């Protein structure tokens, strides 16, 4: 029978030779393009999870990811608040390049009905993967804008940025979404409205009193008009809380609003259902799914099963619930046989909020040994976050990498894995992580990382590889209050500029490799290479600045105010009420 087998073996040999001759690129190391599942927590501190050293919050599922994959210990976000950090994540570029920053104290988008958002000429990794035949989905929080000119042009919508499936909150969870929470925005609007009401009411009463006592004469018109104005202001003051809830806290599926306002208690199970059905629908792949959790942002909505179960109050309960959600998603992957072919990534959009510990009498995240937190431009606690990659088929299990890496690196990494091309017509700040994850190189490609607060450069980091040192230079730092505190307890979040920010001359220098908590400032007297380090970093900053050509700033005041005509509304304006989730089952 030999003569029958012969052609087949020849065919096999020829085929293998052809396979070997095929030029190999980093994107076909695996022989096939992986599915990509990105998990992002909101406001989670690096010190909140087990595999980063927490021994009292239970996060077995995230720990399981880390055991089966690669853990990054020096993983840095491009900003310390949501909107700019997420813009950088999706585009691989510092947010100042896309204009996703402000110059005026607005840190993130404030309204679903604001006109700012991720510009349409920015390219997300989802867009590139979609063009390379990936099924792309975003489930959860977006917070990168919605409309430009009318309430349904959806110019900034996820579906206009490369996702072909969206389910979740176009805006962001926040304290306003739960009427029982103390909310900055509501309190400040209420204060303004009440002041206006009092002034107008006082004017009306003065006019009436004048008429009654016969001191003034003439038309009743001013009395009537001021009374109407006072009534409108009173109503606005009374209802402003409800208005904010309807304006910002709603769910969408693709372009359709499904629940306005959303029922917070139900959202967790709705999100899990959507994830599961996306995975089942697309199991023949390849797919890119970005699950952007509403956990662990205030109002920390937690379902019954987890309430009161952790050792760390409502915050801990919420972290443990999110970990359980991660577990549910991993189980679905297992059941669908997708585990080996899926690259999973877990991270947080920035560090935990220290201020919310104080204000809402509720826990924000814990940033471990790192100084500072959410909202601070340069301090490590606001920008150093967990970073875990797992891909059983390719990546070693249990590897730990201490090299400086950035969330922006996810962009070129997944683009190349998906067989796409990194855009050549613009600066991309992220670097392909695959060689580092595989252990093919020892060092990350980042020599410098810059740390912005709005459009202001607060700090820079230099990895001096030949010395094995990571330097951090702070040009500006926020003033903590009250004195001696370790955060800005006087406000919701630290400012980026103005009188409560100190400009340092000379800048503050730390050696992160020996002093990760940034507690010992180095001076020319204690650090012989002080001036060389300053000079080298300054040079890098100047080089970087020459590559900046920011377009219009998307988060400045005019782009960030509520415009009634941009308000997405389900049902008649201004009621904006509907519930289409009930027809689900
Ligand atoms: C674990 O996390 C909780 C909640 O954020 C925090 O209060 C606690 O200090 C952390 N423990 C450790 C050992 O980091
Ligand atoms: C969203 O729209 C895309 C097509 O644009 C469709 O494939 C997908 O099923 C839609 N998703 C939902 C939840 O309707
Ligand atoms: C996008 O357009 C703006 C002008 O509206 C421009 O400043 C910016 O450079 C453009 N970005 C890219 C990546 O082309």
């Amino acid at each position: 029978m030999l003569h029958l087998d012969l052609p087949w073996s020849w065919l096999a040999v020829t085929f293998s030779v052809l396979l070997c001759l095929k030029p190999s690129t980093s994107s076909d190391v695996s022989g096939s393009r992986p599915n990509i599942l990105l998990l992002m927590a909101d406001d989670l501190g690096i010190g909140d999870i087990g595999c980063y050293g927490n021994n009292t919050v239970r996060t077995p599922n995230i720990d399981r990811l880390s055991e089966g994959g690669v853990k990054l210990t020096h993983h840095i976000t491009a900003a310390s608040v949501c909107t700019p950090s997420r813009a950088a994540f999706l585009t691989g570029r510092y947010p100042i390049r896309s204009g996703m920053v402000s110059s005026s104290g607005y840190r993130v988008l404030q309204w679903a009905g604001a006109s700012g958002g991720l510009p349409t000429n920015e390219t997300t990794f989802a867009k590139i993967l979609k063009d390379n035949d990936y099924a792309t989905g975003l489930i959860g929080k977006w917070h990168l804008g919605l409309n430009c000119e009318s309430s349904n042009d959806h110019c900034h919508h996820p579906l206009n940025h490369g996702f072909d499936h969206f389910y979740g909150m176009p805006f962001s969870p926040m304290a306003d979404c739960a009427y029982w929470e103390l909310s900055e925005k509501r309190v400040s609007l209420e204060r303004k409205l009440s002041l206006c009401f009092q002034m107008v009411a006082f004017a009306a009463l003065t006019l009436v009193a004048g008429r009654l006592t016969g001191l003034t004469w003439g038309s009743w018109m001013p009395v009537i008009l001021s009374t109407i104005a006072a009534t409108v202001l009173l109503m606005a003051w009374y209802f402003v809380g409800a208005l904010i809830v309807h304006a910002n806290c709603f769910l969408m599926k693709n372009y359709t609003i499904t629940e306005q306002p959303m029922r917070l208690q139900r959202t967790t199970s709705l999100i899990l259902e959507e994830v599961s059905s996306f995975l089942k629908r697309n199991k023949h792949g390849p797919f890119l799914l970005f699950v952007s959790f509403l956990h662990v942002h205030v109002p920390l909505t937690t379902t019954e099963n987890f309430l009161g179960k952790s050792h760390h109050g409502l915050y801990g309960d919420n972290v443990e619930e999110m970990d359980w959600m991660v577990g549910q998603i991993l189980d679905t992957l297992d059941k669908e046989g997708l585990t080996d072919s899926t690259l999973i990534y877990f991270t947080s959009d920035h560090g935990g909020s220290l201020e919310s510990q104080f204000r809402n009498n509720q826990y924000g995240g814990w940033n471990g040994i790192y100084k500072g937190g959410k909202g601070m431009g340069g301090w490590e606690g606001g920008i150093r976050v967990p970073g875990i990659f797992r891909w059983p088929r390719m990546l070693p299990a249990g590897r730990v990498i201490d090299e400086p890496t950035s969330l922006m690196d996810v962009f070129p990494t997944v683009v190349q894995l998906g067989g796409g091309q990194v855009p050549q017509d613009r600066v991309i700040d992220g670097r392909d992580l695959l060689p580092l994850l595989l252990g093919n190189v020892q060092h990350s490609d980042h020599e410098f990382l810059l740390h912005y607060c709005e459009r202001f450069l607060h700090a820079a980091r230099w990895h001096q590889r030949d010395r094995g040192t990571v330097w951090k230079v702070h040009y500006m730092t926020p003033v903590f209050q009250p004195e001696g505190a370790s955060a800005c307890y006087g406000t919701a979040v630290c400012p980026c500029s103005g009188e409560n920010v100190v400009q340092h001359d000379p800048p503050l220098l730390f050696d992160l490799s020996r002093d990760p908590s940034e507690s010992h400032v180095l001076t020319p007297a204690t650090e012989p290479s002080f001036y060389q380090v300053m000079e080298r970093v300054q040079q890098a900053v100047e080089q970087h600045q020459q590559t900046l050509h920011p377009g219009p700033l998307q988060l400045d005041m005019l782009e960030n105010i509520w415009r009634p005509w941009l308000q997405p509304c389900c049902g008649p304006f201004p009621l904006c009420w509907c519930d289409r989730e009930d027809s689900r089952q």
Side-chain angles (χ1 to χ4, degrees):
M1 301 298 274
L2 199 66
H3 60 284
L4 264 183
D5 286 335
L6 214 56
W8 288 110
S9 16
W10 270 111
L11 216 74
V13 169
T14 322
F15 189 62
S16 346
V17 168
L18 280 178
L19 267 184
C20 295
L21 290 179
K22 187 170 171 271
S24 85
T25 66
S26 78
S27 59
D28 64 29
V29 273
S30 66
S32 74
R33 304 185 296 162
N35 301 311
I36 294 164
L37 175 59
L38 309 172
L39 308 173
M40 180 179 273
D42 197 354
D43 287 17
L44 177 75
I46 190 170
D48 285 327
I49 42 185
C51 55
Y52 283 88
N54 201 304
N55 50 15
T56 45
V57 176
R58 285 158 300 195
T59 56
N61 296 294
I62 298 168
D63 301 349
R64 162 152 74 108
L65 268 184
S66 159
E67 279 154 26
V70 181
K71 177 170 82 173
L72 305 175
T73 63
H74 197 141
H75 199 43
I76 305 293
T77 65
S80 61
V81 290
C82 306
T83 304
S85 168
R86 287 159 185 268
F89 175 66
L90 283 163
T91 60
R93 288 148 57 78
Y94 286 115
I96 191 156
R97 295 196 196 278
S98 52
M100 290 299 276
V101 290
S102 77
S103 55
S104 56
Y106 290 90
R107 306 295 297 279
V108 299
L109 284 170
Q110 301 289 320
W111 298 95
S115 66
L118 191 62
T120 44
N121 63 355
E122 287 296 326
T123 302
T124 66
F125 52 72
K127 170 112 187 6
I128 300 176
L129 291 189
K130 180 182 154 94
D131 291 345
N132 282 274
D133 303 321
Y134 269 71
T136 56
L138 166 62
I139 296 174
K141 159 171 165 169
W142 174 242
H143 208 185
L144 291 172
L146 207 48
N147 296 310
C148 292
E149 281 164 10
S150 74
S151 67
N152 60 358
D153 62 37
H154 302 125
C155 65
H156 303 303
H157 190 282
L159 261 53
N160 210 17
H161 275 298
F163 292 99
D164 40 39
H165 176 85
F166 169 61
Y167 179 79
M169 265 191 107
F171 193 63
S172 167
M174 48 183 193
D176 302 283
C177 296
Y179 63 87
W180 59 88
E181 292 295 342
L182 186 69
S183 137
E184 275 295 306
K185 180 184 284 166
R186 188 172 67 221
V187 169
S188 118
L189 276 174
E190 278 173 354
R191 201 179 296 133
K192 285 178 196 152
L193 287 167
S194 104
L195 190 70
C196 292
F197 164 72
Q198 287 170 36
M199 278 159 48
V200 175
F202 181 74
L205 284 176
T206 316
L207 287 172
V208 172
R211 298 291 307 228
L212 293 182
T213 53
L215 286 177
T216 53
W217 298 101
S219 138
W220 276 95
M221 217 45 190
V223 177
I224 296 170
L225 285 181
S226 55
T227 309
I228 293 175
T231 314
V232 169
L233 283 166
L234 183 67
M235 303 263 292
W237 173 23
Y238 189 77
F239 287 114
V240 70
L243 290 176
I244 298 176
V245 172
H246 284 249
N248 283 340
C249 311
F250 57 91
L251 292 174
M252 271 179 131
K253 181 178 260 184
N254 281 355
Y255 293 132
T256 311
I257 297 178
T258 58
E259 204 180 70
Q260 186 176 28
M262 58 202 271
R263 292 201 246 154
L264 298 166
Q265 281 293 336
R266 217 161 50 156
T267 312
T268 294
S269 63
L270 291 177
I271 284 182
L272 282 176
E273 263 173 51
E274 284 288 329
V275 171
S276 158
S277 77
F278 181 95
L279 293 175
K280 286 179 183 150
R281 248 193 346 264
N282 294 293
K283 66 176 165 194
H284 301 298
F287 64 79
L288 163 81
L289 177 60
F290 177 17
V291 180
S292 170
F293 292 105
L294 310 186
H295 294 62
V296 294
H297 200 288
V298 284
L300 298 172
T301 308
T302 309
T303 53
E304 204 89 356
N305 290 346
F306 289 89
L307 276 183
K309 295 291 161 63
S310 78
H311 301 299
H312 296 284
L314 184 57
Y315 181 80
D317 297 347
N318 201 247
V319 175
E320 292 189 355
E321 182 176 63
M322 181 191 66
D323 180 76
W324 169 80
M325 292 173 81
V326 171
Q328 296 289 300
I329 298 171
L330 297 184
D331 288 350
T332 309
L333 281 185
D334 277 342
K335 265 188 232 129
E336 301 300 328
L338 291 167
T339 300
D340 281 347
S341 55
T342 303
L343 170 74
I344 305 186
Y345 169 68
F346 176 85
T347 195
S348 174
D349 60 350
H350 50 73
S353 161
L354 303 181
E355 284 82 7
S356 66
Q357 313 264 1
F358 196 73
R359 305 190 70 75
N360 291 357
N361 187 24
Q362 182 175 61
Y363 299 113
W366 171 249
N367 299 318
I369 59 168
Y370 303 107
K371 183 169 182 166
K374 174 179 179 179
M376 302 176 198
W379 293 118
E380 208 67 3
I383 54 180
R384 195 184 286 218
V385 292
I388 301 170
F389 283 90
R390 190 190 78 177
W391 183 11
R393 188 181 281 170
M394 286 304 298
L395 299 182
R399 171 172 291 165
V400 178
I401 293 177
D402 301 325
E403 288 284 303
T405 55
S406 163
L407 270 75
M408 295 184 289
D409 298 342
V410 169
F411 179 95
T413 306
V414 303
V415 162
Q416 285 176 32
L417 282 172
Q421 264 263 326
V422 171
Q424 305 294 310
D425 62 343
R426 63 195 69 192
V427 181
I428 300 291
D429 298 295
R431 299 283 180 267
D432 185 4
L433 275 179
L434 198 60
L436 190 67
L437 297 176
L438 289 169
N440 293 345
V441 298
Q442 290 308 304
H443 290 302
S444 98
D445 224 14
H446 288 289
E447 199 180 354
F448 297 94
L449 281 169
L450 303 170
H451 309 301
Y452 280 91
C453 196
E454 298 177 2
R455 66 172 180 79
F456 308 96
L457 183 70
H458 274 208
R461 163 184 332 243
W462 177 27
H463 185 198
Q464 190 180 3
R465 292 173 193 145
D466 53 5
R467 231 182 104 147
T469 304
V470 180
W471 304 103
K472 179 108 160 271
V473 175
H474 289 263
Y475 300 103
M476 300 198 225
T477 55
V479 181
F480 293 152
Q481 343 103 12
E483 224 177 296
S486 51
C488 302
Y489 291 121
T491 47
V493 74
C494 285
C496 296
S497 63
E499 59 187 22
N500 285 321
V501 172
V502 193
Q503 305 234 9
H504 299 283
D505 189 16
L508 304 181
L509 177 67
F510 296 94
D511 175 354
L512 286 184
S513 18
R514 279 183 298 157
D515 174 26
S517 310
E518 297 172 287
S519 42
H520 308 291
V521 183
L522 301 173
T523 62
T526 59
E527 177 49 60
S529 43
F530 185 92
Y531 289 110
Q532 281 109 297
V533 174
M534 285 301 158
E535 198 176 324
R536 183 68 191 92
V537 174
Q538 187 56 34
Q539 208 179 9
V541 166
E542 280 163 20
Q543 267 171 13
H544 154 82
Q545 279 164 347
Q546 280 162 15
T547 67
L548 290 180
H549 312 284
L553 300 189
Q554 299 290 324
L555 308 187
D556 261 351
M557 190 168 83
L558 283 181
E559 287 68 32
N560 219 335
I561 50 173
W562 182 59
R563 305 190 184 199
W565 62 94
L566 297 188
Q567 177 62 48
C569 208
C570 182
F573 186 85
L575 285 181
C576 300
W577 182 92
C578 73
D579 183 354
R580 295 176 179 153
E581 294 291 358
D582 277 339
S583 54
R584 200 172 255 266
Q585 265 85 37

